[in-house]
Amino acid sequence: MERQKTRAVLASEHPEVQSFLHDLIEKDGDAVTVGRAKNVSEALVLAKKISPDVILIDSYLPYKVGVDKLRMSRMGGLDTAQAISQEVADTKVVLLNNLDEFFHQGRPVSSNGKTYAMKSQGTDISLALPDLRRETTHPNEPIFAFIEATSEIPMKLAKIGFWDWMTLAGVIAVAAGWFLTLTMVLATAGIIIAAAGGVILLTGFIRKKVKAWRRLHFSERA
Amino acid sequence: MNRGNLTVKQLLRQCSVFAALSDVDLEKVAGMVIEKQYPAGTTIFRQGERAEDLYVLQEGKLALQITLPPEAQRQSGNRITVDAVNKNEVFGWSAVVEPHIFYMTAVCLQEAKVLAINGAKLRWLLQDNCKIGYEVLKELIKVVASRLDETRRVLVSERVLVINSE
């Protein structure tokens, strides 16, 4: 039976931030994005209309977009998170308070080569549905969370193909072959040196015996 | 509190409200400070509560919210964020200014480390030493004016939304 995925709504003014959050929550296969909101009004309407399992909210969320010349407040994230926590009972609200550190005007600051995790009070937030439903510490309060850059992206072994493995095997075979050849050459040299040593030893021994025999016989005759 | 090798006096010096005080005067203020730490999501004080302490934010980020009266509450939510507090900024100025009642609610968006300055002791010092009183209140008025300006911005935003939606 297929596991039920967490239905998530993403609320941020910037499409790039929405995409970042989309990738973040779907990478483990626990959650699926069912809606996106770019301001407070849209987030409230979406949350009430589809009651998602979770809504991720950028703390810098404007009440309305497209009227930037009025220097409107962009601090609507907390207000929205509090309102949804109290009014939409089945939706867990995650308020992300440091997205501005990773994005400037929607553009990533330095996202290359990093992996990211969503954390609250120092621990990872799991978006798996059973874990989310167990989260009942403060049922009518948002979860105050932040994004943490955890590490460099690890080498993905799954991407190494058949011929990569064959190349590696070839390199190992060549190295082993050379090692064996070198061993054989050294062994042959060893045999030759030992044989030469044997011949010299034998010659010396024979000559010594012959000398002794001659000395014995010639001295008897004399 | 992880703050390198800085003393409370040096930390206070980084805050605009106390930056102009002499070392001796700053030492007096430093003696009234308690360092506090709050997890993300904590409400440090609520609108309407008695203001006991003036705070200087050392680490983290705070939102200041006003609670709408019941007759003015909107379709969703009864709290509006009107300003944010960043590092080395002062909040909770009601501890110095009568009637010592908070006009806003302070919520930690991130884990926050603060210097809490005892309001009663600080008021006594400001009253006792006119020079300190002038320097501190001059800077504190700027903080109050800034809060007023931010609140005005939010009010304008709300008006625009109402006008546009009609």
Side-chain angles (χ1 to χ4, degrees):
Chain A
M1 194 176 73
E2 194 179 339
R3 189 163 49 110
Q4 194 184 353
K5 287 189 175 182
T6 300
R7 296 155 55 249
V9 166
L10 314 174
S12 174
E13 178 183 12
H14 303 292
E16 292 83 358
V17 179
Q18 290 180 6
S19 298
F20 169 80
L21 293 175
H22 170 81
D23 293 344
L24 185 71
I25 65 166
E26 295 206 352
K27 71 175 179 189
D28 295 331
D30 290 328
V32 59
T33 306
V34 294
R36 297 180 186 219
K38 60 182 181 295
N39 58 37
V40 171
S41 311
E42 287 184 8
L44 288 170
V45 168
L46 258 180
K48 287 179 181 174
K49 190 177 171 186
I50 64 178
S51 293
D53 300 309
V54 67
I55 179 166
L56 307 183
I57 301 175
D58 184 350
S59 62
Y60 284 95
L61 192 67
Y63 273 84
K64 194 174 176 71
V65 293
V67 281
D68 293 349
K69 285 176 186 172
L70 284 169
R71 291 181 67 234
M72 288 173 61
S73 166
R74 297 194 122 64
M75 292 290 294
L78 176 60
D79 310 353
T80 313
Q82 288 169 333
I84 294 173
S85 295
Q86 294 187 349
E87 294 171 24
V88 188
D90 297 331
T91 298
K92 294 289 175 195
V93 182
V94 177
L95 181 68
L96 294 162
N97 59 41
N98 69 336
L99 282 167
D100 56 315
E101 292 169 18
F102 296 98
F103 292 88
H104 179 67
Q105 296 293 316
R107 287 188 292 277
V109 173
S110 58
S111 59
N112 292 334
K114 299 276 184 187
T115 54
Y116 296 94
M118 195 160 49
K119 299 201 167 197
S120 177
Q121 310 281 8
T123 56
D124 284 0
I125 296 176
S126 169
L127 288 185
L129 208 47
D131 295 335
L132 262 185
R133 285 177 178 158
R134 264 198 301 274
E135 171 62 52
T136 53
T137 321
H138 304 289
N140 294 322
E141 289 287 330
I143 300 166
F144 287 75
F146 58 93
I147 299 292
E148 188 174 271
T150 52
S151 63
E152 300 294 322
I153 294 171
M155 190 172 78
K156 291 182 179 173
L157 291 177
K159 281 196 171 180
I160 298 177
F162 173 75
W163 287 109
D164 297 318
W165 285 115
M166 290 306 286
T167 306
L168 180 66
V171 168
I172 292 170
V174 168
W178 272 110
F179 178 73
L180 285 175
T181 306
L182 188 67
T183 311
M184 283 167 69
V185 168
L186 289 175
T188 308
I191 288 168
I192 291 168
I193 291 167
V199 169
I200 293 165
L201 184 70
L202 198 60
T203 310
F205 180 73
I206 290 168
R207 282 180 70 83
K208 211 174 176 183
K209 283 287 178 191
V210 169
K211 247 183 179 175
W213 181 79
R214 277 181 180 169
R215 201 179 294 131
L216 183 67
H217 283 277
F218 284 121
S219 62
E220 280 177 0
R221 284 177 194 175
Chain B
M1 188 185 288
N2 179 21
R3 58 184 194 206
N5 295 319
L6 296 180
T7 61
V8 171
K9 204 170 80 174
Q10 288 168 319
L11 292 173
L12 286 171
R13 175 80 70 201
Q14 293 173 350
C15 171
S16 63
V17 172
F18 302 104
L21 298 189
S22 67
D23 272 2
V24 177
D25 293 342
L26 213 50
E27 196 73 57
K28 292 174 186 167
V29 179
M32 306 168 186
V33 167
I34 296 175
E35 297 174 61
K36 293 183 177 178
Q37 192 165 338
Y38 300 95
T42 308
T43 299
I44 297 180
F45 55 77
R46 293 178 192 281
Q47 183 177 328
E49 283 179 355
R50 180 156 180 81
E52 304 285 356
D53 294 323
L54 175 75
Y55 299 91
V56 181
L57 184 65
Q58 290 302 299
E59 275 181 38
K61 202 184 291 177
L62 295 181
L64 296 175
Q65 295 187 303
I66 53 171
T67 305
L68 299 174
E71 61 275 18
Q73 283 182 10
R74 301 170 303 169
Q75 201 172 357
S76 275
N78 59 353
R79 286 195 272 184
I80 300 175
T81 302
V82 291
D83 206 355
V85 183
N86 295 305
K87 191 179 172 183
N88 290 327
E89 288 182 356
V90 153
F91 62 103
W93 53 265
S94 301
V96 179
V97 181
E98 287 183 356
H100 310 306
I101 300 292
F102 287 122
Y103 290 99
M104 294 176 187
T105 298
V107 180
C108 300
L109 288 174
Q110 297 175 349
E111 185 180 84
K113 292 172 181 175
V114 302
L115 303 178
I117 305 167
N118 184 289
K121 290 181 183 173
L122 183 62
R123 289 197 301 272
W124 182 85
L125 179 68
L126 302 185
Q127 201 173 348
D128 190 54
N129 187 324
C130 292
K131 187 172 170 294
I132 302 176
Y134 173 75
E135 292 293 348
V136 170
L137 287 176
K138 186 179 74 174
E139 291 300 320
L140 212 53
I141 285 169
K142 290 181 189 171
V143 175
V144 178
S146 159
R147 299 269 182 269
L148 189 64
D149 185 48
E150 288 298 322
T151 310
R152 184 188 58 80
R153 271 176 59 188
V154 173
L155 183 66
V156 169
S157 307
E158 292 279 309
R159 281 282 176 89
V160 169
L161 286 178
V162 171
I163 291 165
N164 285 354
S165 61
E166 279 175 355

